[in-house]
Amino acid sequence: MDYHNIELQARSIRGNLLQALLAAGSGHTAGSLGFADVLAVLYGEVIQHKPENPNWEERDRFVLSCGHLAPLLYATLAENGYFSVEELWGLRQFESGLEGHPHYGRLPGIEATTGSLGQGISQALGMAIGAKIAGQKWRVYCAISDGELQEGQTQEAIMYAGAHRLSNFTLVIDRNNIQISGTTEDVLSLEPLSDKLASFGFRVLEIDGHEYQQIYQAFMEAKSISEKPCAIIAHTIAGKGVAKLEGKSEWHGKVMSKEETELALAEIRNSPFKYASNV
Amino acid sequence: MRPMFNWNLLGTLWKEAGNQNRAMVPVSQNISYKSVLGATLVKLAKADPKVVVLTADLRGSLGLEEYSTQFPDRFIEVGVAEQNMLGIAAGLALTGYKPYVCGFAAFSPGRNWDQLRVSVCYSNLDVTIVSSHAGLSVGQDGATHQALEDLALTLPLPNLKVFTPTDAEELGQIITVNHQMKGPAYLRFGREPLPQLAKTQPFVIGQTKIIKMGKTGVIFAHGVGVKNGLEAAKMLEVDGISLAVIAVPTLKPLTEQEIYSHLENKKFAFTLEDHQRVGGMGSVIAQIMAMKPVCPLFCLGVNDQFGASGSASVLYQKYHLDPKGVADTIKKTISELE
C-alpha cells in the first residue's frame, strides 16, 4: 500500500474541491474537506472499478448519501480519471452536469441521486439486495454523515440491512460531530452510536478518519466479514487541512473568499507529509 | 361501585353493526383489484426475471401472497417502512431490475413523497408504484387510511405517469402495457371490487374510453366514479338528461384532444372521482378546458373534507358521491345554469 501516493491524491482532491467551490461561489466546504481522506483511500485502493468504463457491471458501487459533499465526490472522481479536472470549475453552474447535489446520469461515476438526506442509504441498500438476488460478488459502499442519522429513513435502512445480514453492504459514517446548527450532540444527540449500530446487527469499526492505514484496514476488514453488514465510524475533523476552518460548524455550508482560498491552498501544499515517498 | 358489564348489550350492537356493514356486500361478478394485481405480477415475473415486488407489511391486502410464494427471492418485505421501500426500489432499478412498489395510497405516496420525488422521479427510474385502497372506498378504517390527496401529490411530479384504472381488468392491462415502458409510473385504485365496465376496449396510454354515449353533457370519471357516474347518468336519462360517461384511465400523459373530442355540442361537463375536488382529475381536466372554453365544467369529489369511518356505501352517500347523490347534484347544477 503506497500511503504517500494516497496522501498526494488527498491533497490534490482537497485543492481541487476548494478551487471548485471558489468558482461556484457556494457549496459545502467543511464536510467536503473533512471526508477527503476516506474517499481518497476508498477510490484509490479499495473499490473495484474501471473509470474508463463507468458502467462495468461488476464494479463496486459507492453512494454518497450525504449528497452535499458533492464537491468532494466530483474532485475524487476527477482524481480517479472519470472526467477531466477542468470540468470541476463548472460546479453548480447551469447545465455543467456538476449539480449542487449529485444527479444520477449527469456525470460518469454518480451511482444515485442524493441531496435529500437519508435517501442514498436506501438506494445503496437496494443495490446490495440486487447484487444478492443475482448472486453477484460486487459490493456496495455508502457514506452518510452523522447529522444525517437523525433522519428516520436511515434507521429504517439500518434496521433492514442488519436484519437481513447484508454483508455486501458497508456503511461509512462521517463522524465530524457538526451540523448546521452546532455540534450533533447539542442539536440531537447520537451517542452511543457504536452501541446503537451494533444492536441493529452491524459489525462496528471505529477509526480516525484521517489515518490512511486505519481507513484502509477498516475497509479490508469490512470486506472479510461475511455474516453481517459493517459500519465504519470515521471520526473526522470538519474542514481538515485548513486550520482556520477545522471543527467549525459555521463552515458547513459556507465558501471561502478568493484570498482565504489562496491561503488555504498554500497551507495544504506546504503542510508536511506524513508518509515518505516509496521512490 | 363500577357498573356490571352488560353481556346482553353485545348481542344487540353486533346485530346493528352487522346490518350497516352488510349493506354493501360486493356483487359476485365484481372482480377485486387485488386478485388481478397478484395474478398480473406473477405472470410478469415468470416472463421477466427482472421483476421484483416490494411491500410494507401489506402483502395480504394487496393479493401478493401467491407471488411471494412463487418468487421468494424477488419479493422484498421491508416492514412498516415506506420511505426505505421506495429507496430500495430506486436502488434496484439502478441495478437493472423492474420494481413494483405495492402499498396503500394513504401511505405510498404520502409517507414517502420526498423519496418518490428525489430518488425515483428526479432520476427518472423504471419504478412502478401501485397503490390500492385509495379514496373513501377504504371504509371503516377511517380518514387516516383514506387517501383523498394522492393524485394531487403525484400529478405535479415530472416524469411520473399517473394511471387510474376503471376496474380490475383494466389494472391488469395498464400494468402489462406500462411494463414495456421506461420511467416511473403511479397507479391508484380503490379497495372495493367494481364491475368490469371498461374491459371491451383495449387500454391505450393517454386515451379515454366511452362507457356510455350521450348528447347533452358528459361525465369524466375514474375508478368508482365510472360506476357511480354511469348509474347516475342512467337515472338522469329518465329525466330527459342525456349524459355521456367517459372513463379516464390515464391522467398523465393525458392527450388534450381526448377531452375535447367528447365536448362537441355538449352544454356542460362534470368530473367525478373518489378524491378531493382540488388536485385530482378534476383539476387536470379543468386546466385543459380552460385553454379553449367550450362549456362550463363542474368538478365533483370530496369537497375539502377528510374522510370518516363507515361502510363505503354509506360514505359515498354522505359525501354525495353515490349514484343518487351525483344525479341530484347534476340535476341541481344544470337547472341553475338556465
Side-chain angles (χ1 to χ4, degrees):
Chain A
M1 247 296 281
D2 189 347
Y3 291 114
H4 177 75
N5 188 31
I6 294 294
E7 203 169 355
L8 277 172
Q9 288 184 39
R11 285 175 181 234
S12 173
I13 288 170
R14 283 192 163 90
N16 282 333
L17 76 87
L18 285 179
Q19 292 191 127
L21 283 166
L22 180 64
S26 70
H28 298 78
T29 305
S32 296
L33 286 172
F35 205 56
D37 296 309
V38 173
L39 284 205
V41 173
L42 184 61
Y43 272 84
E45 293 291 336
V46 176
I47 62 170
Q48 304 298 300
H49 64 142
K50 294 180 182 172
E52 72 281 6
N53 183 7
N55 295 321
W56 176 42
E57 283 200 12
E58 285 151 58
R59 68 190 189 281
D60 291 336
R61 271 72 162 167
F62 170 69
V63 175
L64 182 74
S65 190
C66 39
H68 55 285
L69 301 195
L72 168 61
L73 176 65
Y74 300 154
T76 306
L77 290 171
E79 185 68 28
N80 281 269
Y82 280 84
F83 45 82
S84 73
V85 167
E86 283 67 43
E87 300 288 334
L88 293 175
W89 319 143
L91 175 64
R92 291 181 159 226
Q93 266 136 71
F94 187 62
E95 285 182 339
S96 68
L98 285 83
E99 294 282 310
H101 295 78
H103 185 197
Y104 174 69
R106 302 296 293 281
L107 295 170
I110 295 179
E111 298 287 3
T113 294
T114 54
S116 180
L117 293 176
Q119 293 200 28
I121 183 177
S122 291
Q123 295 183 76
L125 198 55
M127 295 174 192
I129 293 168
K132 276 262 150 66
I133 292 174
Q136 288 167 336
K137 296 281 178 282
W138 46 268
R139 304 183 58 80
V140 181
Y141 296 89
C142 179
I144 54 172
S145 67
D146 49 6
E148 186 174 3
L149 283 165
Q150 292 164 357
E151 279 287 358
Q153 186 180 355
T154 61
Q155 308 303 309
E156 291 177 22
I158 289 168
M159 214 188 297
Y160 188 100
H164 289 264
R165 301 172 182 268
L166 282 172
S167 56
N168 61 347
F169 179 76
T170 301
L171 196 57
V172 192
I173 300 165
D174 183 22
R175 189 78 177 102
N176 60 16
N177 195 28
I178 63 147
Q179 56 189 108
I180 294 175
S181 309
T183 69
T184 60
E185 296 317 288
D186 281 341
V187 174
L188 183 61
S189 168
L190 301 169
E191 292 299 328
L193 185 53
S194 177
D195 292 344
K196 285 176 182 171
L197 291 163
S199 71
F200 274 63
F202 274 69
R203 173 91 166 85
V204 184
L205 305 172
E206 289 204 65
I207 57 167
D208 179 336
H210 304 297
E211 287 292 326
Y212 301 121
Q213 258 186 324
Q214 289 188 33
I215 298 169
Y216 181 72
Q217 273 159 16
F219 280 125
M220 290 302 111
E221 189 171 345
K223 253 171 132 155
S224 73
I225 296 162
S226 59
E227 78 282 7
K228 44 172 76 173
C230 185
I232 300 171
I233 302 176
H235 291 274
T236 61
I237 296 169
K240 176 82 170 156
V242 181
K244 77 176 232 173
L245 309 182
E246 289 183 1
K248 304 224 171 77
S249 68
E250 57 264 34
W251 284 99
H252 162 86
K254 212 162 71 162
V255 300
M256 291 185 282
S257 67
K258 182 162 182 288
E259 294 70 33
E260 286 171 319
T261 305
E262 277 167 356
L263 289 170
L265 290 174
E267 183 181 342
I268 291 168
R269 198 176 345 114
N270 296 330
S271 64
F273 277 84
K274 198 135 177 241
Y275 293 92
S277 167
N278 289 349
V279 174
Chain B
M1 199 181 104
R2 275 178 59 213
M4 285 276 288
F5 183 76
N6 181 353
W7 292 101
N8 297 319
L9 183 61
L10 190 63
T12 322
L13 287 174
W14 187 252
K15 252 205 302 204
E16 280 176 20
N19 286 339
Q20 195 194 57
N21 291 342
R22 278 195 289 273
M24 202 46 165
V25 171
V27 181
S28 57
Q29 69 260 28
N30 295 356
I31 300 171
S32 72
Y33 284 105
K34 75 178 193 182
S35 63
V36 172
L37 174 62
T40 307
L41 290 175
V42 166
K43 193 158 134 225
L44 283 179
K46 277 191 179 135
D48 186 350
K50 293 301 186 183
V51 169
V52 181
V53 170
L54 299 91
T55 185
D57 203 19
L58 291 174
R59 75 183 81 178
S61 310
L62 297 165
L64 301 174
E65 268 132 347
E66 180 58 32
Y67 177 96
S68 68
T69 313
Q70 286 201 35
F71 306 100
D73 293 342
R74 290 191 272 146
F75 178 74
I76 313 281
E77 169 66 82
V78 301
V80 191
E82 294 81 5
Q83 296 180 41
N84 191 34
M85 177 170 66
L86 211 41
I88 289 178
L92 284 165
L94 288 164
T95 316
Y97 291 91
K98 293 217 85 174
Y100 283 83
V101 178
C102 302
F104 283 174
F107 309 123
S108 173
R111 205 78 187 215
N112 54 16
W113 185 79
D114 191 30
Q115 287 74 13
L116 176 59
R117 175 174 180 264
V118 175
S119 289
V120 175
C121 293
Y122 182 42
S123 292
N124 201 15
L125 301 176
D126 297 349
V127 175
T128 305
I129 297 99
V130 184
S131 293
S132 173
H133 289 52
L136 298 169
S137 75
V138 162
Q140 285 86 350
D141 272 350
T144 58
H145 286 54
Q146 290 160 354
L148 298 172
E149 305 82 10
D150 58 299
L151 292 174
L153 289 177
T154 47
L155 284 165
L157 290 174
N159 300 328
L160 185 66
K161 304 186 264 325
V162 178
F163 300 113
T164 43
T166 310
D167 53 51
E169 173 133 1
E170 195 172 64
L171 170 65
Q173 289 174 5
I174 296 173
I175 291 176
T176 307
V177 167
N178 183 68
H179 188 70
Q180 306 303 326
M181 302 182 72
K182 306 283 296 162
Y186 174 62
L187 285 79
R188 74 96 82 166
F189 46 91
R191 177 182 179 223
E192 303 249 291
L194 295 173
Q196 305 302 296
L197 293 174
K199 72 190 238 173
T200 52
Q201 307 167 58
F203 170 76
V204 177
I205 186 170
Q207 287 187 11
T208 56
K209 292 184 182 179
I210 300 175
I211 307 300
K212 176 186 179 295
M213 305 282 281
K215 288 206 273 299
T216 323
V218 58
I219 300 175
F220 296 104
H222 65 81
V224 66
V226 179
K227 166 183 166 292
N228 290 1
L230 178 62
E231 285 176 41
K234 287 182 179 164
M235 288 179 196
L236 290 167
E237 286 276 355
V238 174
D239 294 322
I241 301 168
S242 171
L243 292 167
V245 176
I246 311 298
V248 187
T250 307
L251 291 191
K252 189 177 175 196
L254 176 56
T255 315
E256 287 151 18
Q257 190 42 42
E258 283 287 310
I259 299 303
Y260 283 106
S261 72
H262 302 298
L263 295 173
E264 278 188 50
N265 303 317
K266 299 291 196 296
K267 300 225 185 73
F268 34 76
F270 291 85
T271 59
L272 176 61
E273 58 192 323
D274 193 355
H275 186 276
Q276 299 288 353
R277 289 176 62 228
V278 169
M281 178 192 63
S283 292
V284 169
I285 292 180
Q287 262 187 266
I288 291 174
M289 288 179 65
M291 293 194 288
K292 270 192 306 185
V294 163
C295 64
L297 170 72
F298 303 93
C299 298
L300 306 183
V302 174
N303 196 8
D304 196 32
Q305 293 175 290
F306 286 104
S309 281
S311 70
S313 62
V314 166
L315 289 172
Y316 287 135
Q317 262 177 52
K318 299 289 186 193
Y319 285 76
H320 310 291
L321 297 176
D322 63 317
K324 176 139 193 333
V326 169
D328 288 346
T329 305
I330 291 179
K331 230 181 348 188
K332 181 166 184 294
T333 309
I334 294 174
S335 68
E336 281 164 10
L337 273 181
E338 275 129 31

